[in-house]
Amino acid sequence: MKVHAMRIPFALVAVLVAACSVPVAAQTATGTLDKVKAGGSIGVGYRDASLPFSYLGSNGQPTGFGWEICGLIVDEVRRATGLAALAVKAQAVTSQNRIPLLQNGTIDIECGSTTNNAERAKQVAFATNYFYTGTRFLVKAGSSVKSLADLKGRKVVSTTGTTNMLVMRKISREQNLDIDLFGAKDHAESALVVQSDRADAFAMDDILLYGIRANAANPAELAVVGEALQVEPYAIMLRRDDPAFKKLVDDTLAALIRTGEFERLYKKWFQSPIPPKGINLNAPMSKELLANLKALSDKPAE
């Protein structure tokens, strides 16, 4: 898919300003389905390095567990709007810009590895939780870092704009660990900081760390260590105050779970060889995810 830049004519901007319109309100006043039907396209946000949720494949196009699920959601949007030729505008997003791009209408749905928490729920909405993970550490193989306690007074990197940064800052303060915590722009840069010995560990969701390790030039040079610091849910992100679109997304997820398609996709991306290197993450469903396949909850992290 090609990423299309969205341009707003100057005359339209002038009209909106004169009417004192707010872009976010303009996008949500009629709802996402009406917006999509009127424009003939849907903006789908993806991450370029959140393997196996959404990332760029060897052909340079987005792929992954979340990306496939969002493709099935788009199929339901086509049916709901009657737009068989509905265009999909794929848009790469980062930890820092994913919420603003959703709020301003550049994207209509985000299919990555975003934690559903109460703070973010003040700005956006989340569909049914579709994965659960916890913060652990990526280190160089043979490192003396085996647990959180080993990081006392040491350098730790995490990706800017993630909940992991907040978790690490809070734990360091509460446990008097005096961790030298700093941010990198994305997961790839965070991993490189560890590989180049500029940090002792990369704190991130364990499933993403397994993906980064699997995708490294030499996976044996890296290790994922430590007990998970907390368990948090991932969910597809939507705009707030749009019950019709949220229902469509939640109903699609429920149907995938009911028919067994969700389990098939999970096995494909977490328990089978995946591109680009054909490595199997060997990550079975957590007890929290298994429970939520029955509960169908969108409850945020505590």
Side-chain angles (χ1 to χ4, degrees), residues 96-174:
Q96 297 94 325
N97 69 17
R98 56 191 166 184
I99 289 177
L101 290 179
L102 183 67
Q103 290 176 319
N104 71 20
T106 301
I107 61 173
D108 300 299
I109 188 170
E110 191 257 356
C111 312
S113 51
T114 299
T115 297
N116 172 9
N117 63 29
E119 187 61 31
R120 286 177 178 156
K122 297 175 184 177
Q123 305 175 74
V124 297
F126 288 96
T128 300
N129 298 328
Y130 76 157
F131 195 81
Y132 289 80
T133 188
T135 301
R136 294 176 69 192
F137 308 105
L138 183 75
V139 301
K140 294 182 78 170
S143 169
S144 61
V145 174
K146 306 296 182 186
S147 66
L148 174 66
D150 295 329
L151 291 170
K152 183 176 178 63
R154 302 176 82 163
K155 291 182 179 293
V156 176
V157 65
S158 193
T159 305
T160 302
T162 63
T163 59
N164 311 86
M165 285 281 289
L166 302 178
V167 167
M168 289 302 300
R169 188 173 293 119
K170 179 174 182 287
I171 288 177
S172 178
R173 183 178 61 250
E174 291 176 346

Side-chain angles (χ1 to χ4, degrees), residues 169 191 211 215 245 275:
R169 188 173 293 119
N215 205 33
F245 189 54

Side-chain angles (χ1 to χ4, degrees), residues 209-254:
L209 295 182
Y210 281 118
I212 289 167
R213 180 183 182 277
N215 205 33
N218 186 353
E221 292 181 349
L222 298 169
V224 178
V225 301
E227 294 294 322
L229 302 186
Q230 85 299 323
V231 176
E232 295 183 337
Y234 285 173
I236 291 169
M237 193 164 56
L238 321 165
R239 278 186 289 276
R240 279 173 55 89
D241 304 320
D242 192 349
F245 189 54
K246 177 169 166 52
K247 184 177 188 303
L248 181 148
V249 175
D250 286 342
D251 285 352
T252 302
L253 284 165

Side-chain angles (χ1 to χ4, degrees), residues 13-230:
V13 173
V15 170
L16 291 172
V17 171
C20 297
S21 298
V22 178
V24 174
Q27 295 294 347
T28 58
T30 56
T32 298
L33 291 176
D34 290 330
K35 171 183 177 292
V36 167
K37 189 169 185 177
S41 66
I42 182 168
V44 182
Y46 68 91
R47 300 295 296 274
D48 61 9
S50 284
L51 186 151
F53 295 92
S54 67
Y55 63 102
L56 294 178
S58 56
N59 61 355
Q61 299 300 309
T63 187
F65 177 70
W67 180 256
E68 276 208 62
I69 287 177
C70 276
L72 296 172
I73 292 169
V74 169
D75 288 342
E76 290 304 314
V77 172
R78 286 193 177 96
R79 282 187 273 274
T81 59
L83 297 176
L86 176 67
V88 176
K89 293 185 177 181
Q91 173 68 56
V93 300
T94 67
S95 298
Q96 297 94 325
N97 69 17
R98 56 191 166 184
I99 289 177
L101 290 179
L102 183 67
Q103 290 176 319
N104 71 20
T106 301
I107 61 173
D108 300 299
I109 188 170
E110 191 257 356
C111 312
S113 51
T114 299
T115 297
N116 172 9
N117 63 29
E119 187 61 31
R120 286 177 178 156
K122 297 175 184 177
Q123 305 175 74
V124 297
F126 288 96
T128 300
N129 298 328
Y130 76 157
F131 195 81
Y132 289 80
T133 188
T135 301
R136 294 176 69 192
F137 308 105
L138 183 75
V139 301
K140 294 182 78 170
S143 169
S144 61
V145 174
K146 306 296 182 186
S147 66
L148 174 66
D150 295 329
L151 291 170
K152 183 176 178 63
R154 302 176 82 163
K155 291 182 179 293
V156 176
V157 65
S158 193
T159 305
T160 302
T162 63
T163 59
N164 311 86
M165 285 281 289
L166 302 178
V167 167
M168 289 302 300
R169 188 173 293 119
K170 179 174 182 287
I171 288 177
S172 178
R173 183 178 61 250
E174 291 176 346
Q175 299 189 21
N176 296 315
L177 295 175
D178 194 29
I179 290 172
D180 183 0
L181 180 67
F182 62 99
K185 68 177 182 180
D186 54 32
H187 301 333
E189 182 177 280
S190 294
L192 181 60
V193 168
V194 171
Q195 291 170 303
S196 59
D197 295 316
R198 288 176 284 155
D200 297 289
F202 168 25
M204 184 46 56
D205 298 336
D206 53 10
I207 190 62
L208 298 183
L209 295 182
Y210 281 118
I212 289 167
R213 180 183 182 277
N215 205 33
N218 186 353
E221 292 181 349
L222 298 169
V224 178
V225 301
E227 294 294 322
L229 302 186
Q230 85 299 323

